[in-house]
Amino acid sequence: MPGTELFGEEERKEVNDVMQTGILMRYTSDSLRNNHWKAREFETEVKKITAAGYAHAVSSGSAAIATALAVAGIGAGDEVIVPPFTFIASVEAVLFVGAIPVFAEIDETLCLSAEGIKKAVGPKTKAVCLVHMCGGMAEMDSIMAVCNSNKLVLVEDAGQAFAASYKGKMVGLFGKCGSYSFDFFKIATAGEGGVLVTDDERTYKLAEAYSDHGHDHIGGNRGMEQHEIVGFNYRISELNAAVGLAQTRKVPMIVEKNRVNKKFLINALNRTPGISFSRIPDPGGDSATFLNLFLPDTETAGRLVNELNNAGIGGFNYWFKNMYHFINQWDHLKSMHTASKLTVQLLDTAQDYKNLHLPKSQEVIGRLISFGIRCTWTEKELAELAAKISACVSKALKPVAV
Ligand SMILES: *Cc1c(COP(=O)(O)O)cnc(C)c1O
């Protein structure tokens, strides 16, 4: 969790600015805020890193992807292609805007593949919610081609890929709009927060209004502002934005350190039999928040998990068994256990979520183990970790007969 490793004076200073004026809201009170606009500065910082035309901060990454879908025109009854490996927020967001998730295959990039998307397209498919997983990125050339030839709206959930790029362009900016998360586990954190980015001014204006009850934010009298569309409250507070601002300023340095540390581990593990790495379409654009290892098969990966646990090595994820990142554990979704009825439950056109056939995704995630990269690791710590992982892999490859 690189962002949280580096909490310091900078975060405290930005938060104190807000506490000194007491204006915890991003809008209003212009004369009382001592010219502190933390949400705006946070957005400016995100624009600096991504080169996005527009950035809009909201209360979470989940709120950002929900807003992104809505302002991209995705709504009731629209079919949206989603991956079975993601943080579940992307799928929840599709459901909560009233749309219908259609699961498609991922590949060794850990993201939806163009081939997977192509196979899942049907007459009612409106959009693709592409999720850039584990700090890396999807294969954008072929995915853009498939979206364009099928006239699909592309919305990117780059929740865990802030600062990752593909051929010089930041992920999140390939489609109509994209989102980043700044929750506690991401490369930079606001405590809770998310940012929507787009190069389209109209989309930005809609997002700004949608996330604040429709407010157009024109004129100095909040109660008298105009409202073109119906919205909701997804606002970020100035306190969260203050932390997000200080953290985002550290991201270029974090990425640099992450890349060095990840390279060290890859070099050290490269020749360990049985290990390969996830495919990164543009290795130079990796945000390097995760080292993603493939084992030969699901059984070996399962044994490696046990070996790592026995050796007391933490800081890794076996997503195949994770309750929130892989579809196998989403019984609540498959059985549609919802607090109240969703659009998808009114229609009989949805995929049969209980009987999905996604063999490629099962195979890829079954043999994947991801280590979170720490930006503060020393060379000694890195060498020790690599040696321990290597020893555990050797044991996992040669199971003792019982
Ligand atoms: C973290 C994450 C989110 C949600 O972010 P929150 O800020 O926790 O709401 C959405 N999508 C992906 C892919 C994520 O990793």
Side-chain angles (χ1 to χ4, degrees), residues 233-260:
N233 175 10
Y234 285 140
R235 292 187 308 264
I236 191 167
S237 89
E238 283 286 276
L239 288 173
N240 291 102
V243 179
L245 165 62
Q247 285 265 295
T248 302
R249 287 185 178 135
K250 298 178 181 179
V251 164
M253 181 259 284
I254 293 173
V255 172
E256 216 178 288
K257 292 192 188 255
N258 278 356
R259 285 178 179 162
V260 170

mmCIF file of all heavy atoms in Angstrom, residues 233-260:
data_model
loop_
_atom_site.group_PDB
_atom_site.id
_atom_site.type_symbol
_atom_site.label_atom_id
_atom_site.label_comp_id
_atom_site.label_asym_id
_atom_site.label_seq_id
_atom_site.Cartn_x
_atom_site.Cartn_y
_atom_site.Cartn_z
ATOM 1 N N ASN A 233 -25.856 12.673 -4.186
ATOM 2 C CA ASN A 233 -24.682 13.201 -3.478
ATOM 3 C C ASN A 233 -23.541 12.194 -3.491
ATOM 4 O O ASN A 233 -23.557 11.214 -2.747
ATOM 5 C CB ASN A 233 -25.042 13.558 -2.031
ATOM 6 C CG ASN A 233 -23.807 13.993 -1.247
ATOM 7 O OD1 ASN A 233 -22.732 14.203 -1.825
ATOM 8 N ND2 ASN A 233 -23.937 14.131 0.054
ATOM 9 N N TYR A 234 -22.579 12.447 -4.350
ATOM 10 C CA TYR A 234 -21.332 11.667 -4.372
ATOM 11 C C TYR A 234 -20.157 12.604 -4.105
ATOM 12 O O TYR A 234 -19.034 12.340 -4.529
ATOM 13 C CB TYR A 234 -21.145 10.987 -5.735
ATOM 14 C CG TYR A 234 -22.019 9.780 -5.987
ATOM 15 C CD1 TYR A 234 -22.591 9.570 -7.245
ATOM 16 C CD2 TYR A 234 -22.259 8.825 -5.000
ATOM 17 C CE1 TYR A 234 -23.373 8.455 -7.510
ATOM 18 C CE2 TYR A 234 -23.043 7.709 -5.250
ATOM 19 C CZ TYR A 234 -23.591 7.524 -6.505
ATOM 20 O OH TYR A 234 -24.361 6.412 -6.770
ATOM 21 N N ARG A 235 -20.417 13.722 -3.385
ATOM 22 C CA ARG A 235 -19.360 14.721 -3.181
ATOM 23 C C ARG A 235 -18.230 14.192 -2.296
ATOM 24 O O ARG A 235 -18.448 13.454 -1.346
ATOM 25 C CB ARG A 235 -19.933 15.978 -2.500
ATOM 26 C CG ARG A 235 -20.892 16.793 -3.336
ATOM 27 C CD ARG A 235 -21.250 18.086 -2.615
ATOM 28 N NE ARG A 235 -21.700 17.847 -1.265
ATOM 29 C CZ ARG A 235 -22.982 17.757 -0.903
ATOM 30 N NH1 ARG A 235 -23.944 17.887 -1.799
ATOM 31 N NH2 ARG A 235 -23.308 17.544 0.360
ATOM 32 N N ILE A 236 -17.023 14.638 -2.597
ATOM 33 C CA ILE A 236 -15.893 14.370 -1.711
ATOM 34 C C ILE A 236 -15.807 15.522 -0.717
ATOM 35 O O ILE A 236 -16.162 16.661 -1.036
ATOM 36 C CB ILE A 236 -14.575 14.238 -2.512
ATOM 37 C CG1 ILE A 236 -13.457 13.690 -1.611
ATOM 38 C CG2 ILE A 236 -14.156 15.570 -3.151
ATOM 39 C CD1 ILE A 236 -12.217 13.237 -2.369
ATOM 40 N N SER A 237 -15.372 15.242 0.506
ATOM 41 C CA SER A 237 -15.214 16.326 1.484
ATOM 42 C C SER A 237 -13.834 16.948 1.316
ATOM 43 O O SER A 237 -12.906 16.317 0.788
ATOM 44 C CB SER A 237 -15.385 15.798 2.907
ATOM 45 O OG SER A 237 -14.142 15.354 3.406
ATOM 46 N N GLU A 238 -13.680 18.162 1.794
ATOM 47 C CA GLU A 238 -12.391 18.848 1.698
ATOM 48 C C GLU A 238 -11.296 18.129 2.497
ATOM 49 O O GLU A 238 -10.120 18.175 2.129
ATOM 50 C CB GLU A 238 -12.520 20.296 2.179
ATOM 51 C CG GLU A 238 -13.186 21.215 1.170
ATOM 52 C CD GLU A 238 -12.281 21.557 -0.017
ATOM 53 O OE1 GLU A 238 -11.467 22.494 0.099
ATOM 54 O OE2 GLU A 238 -12.401 20.885 -1.053
ATOM 55 N N LEU A 239 -11.704 17.467 3.590
ATOM 56 C CA LEU A 239 -10.707 16.745 4.400
ATOM 57 C C LEU A 239 -10.111 15.586 3.609
ATOM 58 O O LEU A 239 -8.892 15.403 3.579
ATOM 59 C CB LEU A 239 -11.354 16.213 5.690
ATOM 60 C CG LEU A 239 -11.701 17.267 6.734
ATOM 61 C CD1 LEU A 239 -12.494 16.638 7.874
ATOM 62 C CD2 LEU A 239 -10.430 17.932 7.273
ATOM 63 N N ASN A 240 -10.975 14.812 2.968
ATOM 64 C CA ASN A 240 -10.475 13.704 2.153
ATOM 65 C C ASN A 240 -9.669 14.220 0.965
ATOM 66 O O ASN A 240 -8.608 13.676 0.635
ATOM 67 C CB ASN A 240 -11.636 12.840 1.658
ATOM 68 C CG ASN A 240 -12.294 12.075 2.785
ATOM 69 O OD1 ASN A 240 -13.354 12.455 3.260
ATOM 70 N ND2 ASN A 240 -11.653 11.027 3.246
ATOM 71 N N ALA A 241 -10.177 15.280 0.335
ATOM 72 C CA ALA A 241 -9.474 15.831 -0.822
ATOM 73 C C ALA A 241 -8.087 16.343 -0.426
ATOM 74 O O ALA A 241 -7.127 16.227 -1.189
ATOM 75 C CB ALA A 241 -10.303 16.946 -1.454
ATOM 76 N N ALA A 242 -7.986 16.897 0.792
ATOM 77 C CA ALA A 242 -6.697 17.417 1.272
ATOM 78 C C ALA A 242 -5.666 16.292 1.342
ATOM 79 O O ALA A 242 -4.521 16.445 0.895
ATOM 80 C CB ALA A 242 -6.874 18.072 2.641
ATOM 81 N N VAL A 243 -6.078 15.148 1.869
ATOM 82 C CA VAL A 243 -5.168 14.005 1.952
ATOM 83 C C VAL A 243 -4.842 13.502 0.543
ATOM 84 O O VAL A 243 -3.678 13.247 0.203
ATOM 85 C CB VAL A 243 -5.775 12.855 2.799
ATOM 86 C CG1 VAL A 243 -4.827 11.661 2.848
ATOM 87 C CG2 VAL A 243 -6.085 13.335 4.211
ATOM 88 N N GLY A 244 -5.867 13.402 -0.295
ATOM 89 C CA GLY A 244 -5.674 12.940 -1.666
ATOM 90 C C GLY A 244 -4.720 13.831 -2.440
ATOM 91 O O GLY A 244 -3.893 13.349 -3.219
ATOM 92 N N LEU A 245 -4.804 15.125 -2.202
ATOM 93 C CA LEU A 245 -3.925 16.087 -2.869
ATOM 94 C C LEU A 245 -2.458 15.837 -2.502
ATOM 95 O O LEU A 245 -1.595 15.710 -3.380
ATOM 96 C CB LEU A 245 -4.345 17.505 -2.465
ATOM 97 C CG LEU A 245 -3.376 18.645 -2.744
ATOM 98 C CD1 LEU A 245 -3.134 18.775 -4.237
ATOM 99 C CD2 LEU A 245 -3.927 19.951 -2.169
ATOM 100 N N ALA A 246 -2.191 15.746 -1.205
ATOM 101 C CA ALA A 246 -0.803 15.542 -0.762
ATOM 102 C C ALA A 246 -0.276 14.201 -1.271
ATOM 103 O O ALA A 246 0.881 14.088 -1.686
ATOM 104 C CB ALA A 246 -0.725 15.594 0.762
ATOM 105 N N GLN A 247 -1.142 13.192 -1.261
ATOM 106 C CA GLN A 247 -0.722 11.859 -1.707
ATOM 107 C C GLN A 247 -0.458 11.829 -3.216
ATOM 108 O O GLN A 247 0.512 11.217 -3.667
ATOM 109 C CB GLN A 247 -1.830 10.847 -1.364
ATOM 110 C CG GLN A 247 -1.879 10.505 0.113
ATOM 111 C CD GLN A 247 -1.097 9.238 0.401
ATOM 112 O OE1 GLN A 247 -1.443 8.168 -0.048
ATOM 113 N NE2 GLN A 247 -0.019 9.368 1.153
ATOM 114 N N THR A 248 -1.311 12.485 -3.982
ATOM 115 C CA THR A 248 -1.163 12.460 -5.440
ATOM 116 C C THR A 248 0.147 13.113 -5.862
ATOM 117 O O THR A 248 0.788 12.682 -6.815
ATOM 118 C CB THR A 248 -2.384 13.128 -6.109
ATOM 119 O OG1 THR A 248 -3.553 12.437 -5.688
ATOM 120 C CG2 THR A 248 -2.296 13.063 -7.632
ATOM 121 N N ARG A 249 0.561 14.137 -5.122
ATOM 122 C CA ARG A 249 1.849 14.782 -5.427
ATOM 123 C C ARG A 249 3.008 13.799 -5.291
ATOM 124 O O ARG A 249 4.070 13.980 -5.867
ATOM 125 C CB ARG A 249 2.078 15.964 -4.485
ATOM 126 C CG ARG A 249 1.201 17.154 -4.814
ATOM 127 C CD ARG A 249 1.536 18.347 -3.928
ATOM 128 N NE ARG A 249 0.722 19.494 -4.300
ATOM 129 C CZ ARG A 249 0.104 20.286 -3.441
ATOM 130 N NH1 ARG A 249 0.205 20.077 -2.132
ATOM 131 N NH2 ARG A 249 -0.613 21.309 -3.870
ATOM 132 N N LYS A 250 2.811 12.738 -4.490
ATOM 133 C CA LYS A 250 3.884 11.765 -4.263
ATOM 134 C C LYS A 250 3.884 10.637 -5.292
ATOM 135 O O LYS A 250 4.799 9.815 -5.316
ATOM 136 C CB LYS A 250 3.751 11.167 -2.851
ATOM 137 C CG LYS A 250 3.891 12.204 -1.743
ATOM 138 C CD LYS A 250 3.710 11.602 -0.342
ATOM 139 C CE LYS A 250 3.841 12.711 0.703
ATOM 140 N NZ LYS A 250 3.669 12.227 2.082
ATOM 141 N N VAL A 251 2.835 10.579 -6.125
ATOM 142 C CA VAL A 251 2.673 9.427 -7.017
ATOM 143 C C VAL A 251 3.827 9.244 -8.017
ATOM 144 O O VAL A 251 4.301 8.116 -8.197
ATOM 145 C CB VAL A 251 1.285 9.443 -7.707
ATOM 146 C CG1 VAL A 251 1.235 8.508 -8.904
ATOM 147 C CG2 VAL A 251 0.211 9.063 -6.697
ATOM 148 N N PRO A 252 4.314 10.304 -8.656
ATOM 149 C CA PRO A 252 5.437 10.076 -9.592
ATOM 150 C C PRO A 252 6.624 9.404 -8.907
ATOM 151 O O PRO A 252 7.250 8.496 -9.473
ATOM 152 C CB PRO A 252 5.789 11.492 -10.067
ATOM 153 C CG PRO A 252 4.506 12.266 -9.917
ATOM 154 C CD PRO A 252 3.847 11.705 -8.683
ATOM 155 N N MET A 253 6.904 9.819 -7.688
ATOM 156 C CA MET A 253 8.016 9.218 -6.936
ATOM 157 C C MET A 253 7.687 7.773 -6.540
ATOM 158 O O MET A 253 8.554 6.889 -6.612
ATOM 159 C CB MET A 253 8.282 10.105 -5.709
ATOM 160 C CG MET A 253 9.391 9.667 -4.817
ATOM 161 S SD MET A 253 8.743 8.842 -3.370
ATOM 162 C CE MET A 253 8.146 10.266 -2.438
ATOM 163 N N ILE A 254 6.444 7.533 -6.140
ATOM 164 C CA ILE A 254 6.030 6.171 -5.759
ATOM 165 C C ILE A 254 6.168 5.226 -6.955
ATOM 166 O O ILE A 254 6.703 4.118 -6.833
ATOM 167 C CB ILE A 254 4.562 6.152 -5.248
ATOM 168 C CG1 ILE A 254 4.449 6.906 -3.917
ATOM 169 C CG2 ILE A 254 4.050 4.717 -5.100
ATOM 170 C CD1 ILE A 254 3.016 7.089 -3.424
ATOM 171 N N VAL A 255 5.704 5.667 -8.119
ATOM 172 C CA VAL A 255 5.763 4.819 -9.312
ATOM 173 C C VAL A 255 7.212 4.467 -9.641
ATOM 174 O O VAL A 255 7.539 3.315 -9.947
ATOM 175 C CB VAL A 255 5.073 5.498 -10.523
ATOM 176 C CG1 VAL A 255 5.315 4.714 -11.809
ATOM 177 C CG2 VAL A 255 3.579 5.643 -10.277
ATOM 178 N N GLU A 256 8.068 5.472 -9.533
ATOM 179 C CA GLU A 256 9.486 5.234 -9.822
ATOM 180 C C GLU A 256 10.061 4.152 -8.901
ATOM 181 O O GLU A 256 10.726 3.221 -9.346
ATOM 182 C CB GLU A 256 10.230 6.550 -9.605
ATOM 183 C CG GLU A 256 11.375 6.801 -10.557
ATOM 184 C CD GLU A 256 11.998 8.168 -10.279
ATOM 185 O OE1 GLU A 256 11.330 9.167 -10.608
ATOM 186 O OE2 GLU A 256 13.104 8.214 -9.712
ATOM 187 N N LYS A 257 9.769 4.272 -7.612
ATOM 188 C CA LYS A 257 10.282 3.291 -6.637
ATOM 189 C C LYS A 257 9.637 1.927 -6.832
ATOM 190 O O LYS A 257 10.304 0.898 -6.751
ATOM 191 C CB LYS A 257 10.043 3.795 -5.209
ATOM 192 C CG LYS A 257 10.895 4.998 -4.892
ATOM 193 C CD LYS A 257 10.876 5.311 -3.409
ATOM 194 C CE LYS A 257 11.559 6.600 -3.148
ATOM 195 N NZ LYS A 257 12.721 6.871 -2.642
ATOM 196 N N ASN A 258 8.321 1.928 -7.079
ATOM 197 C CA ASN A 258 7.623 0.663 -7.336
ATOM 198 C C ASN A 258 8.278 -0.090 -8.487
ATOM 199 O O ASN A 258 8.468 -1.304 -8.428
ATOM 200 C CB ASN A 258 6.162 0.918 -7.730
ATOM 201 C CG ASN A 258 5.258 1.143 -6.540
ATOM 202 O OD1 ASN A 258 5.688 1.043 -5.401
ATOM 203 N ND2 ASN A 258 4.006 1.460 -6.805
ATOM 204 N N ARG A 259 8.589 0.648 -9.543
ATOM 205 C CA ARG A 259 9.149 0.006 -10.743
ATOM 206 C C ARG A 259 10.516 -0.598 -10.450
ATOM 207 O O ARG A 259 10.818 -1.713 -10.890
ATOM 208 C CB ARG A 259 9.247 1.017 -11.890
ATOM 209 C CG ARG A 259 7.887 1.313 -12.501
ATOM 210 C CD ARG A 259 7.963 2.339 -13.605
ATOM 211 N NE ARG A 259 6.638 2.567 -14.161
ATOM 212 C CZ ARG A 259 6.301 3.632 -14.889
ATOM 213 N NH1 ARG A 259 7.189 4.580 -15.147
ATOM 214 N NH2 ARG A 259 5.065 3.748 -15.357
ATOM 215 N N VAL A 260 11.326 0.127 -9.708
ATOM 216 C CA VAL A 260 12.648 -0.385 -9.340
ATOM 217 C C VAL A 260 12.488 -1.662 -8.506
ATOM 218 O O VAL A 260 13.142 -2.677 -8.760
ATOM 219 C CB VAL A 260 13.451 0.684 -8.557
ATOM 220 C CG1 VAL A 260 14.717 0.092 -7.955
ATOM 221 C CG2 VAL A 260 13.773 1.862 -9.476
#
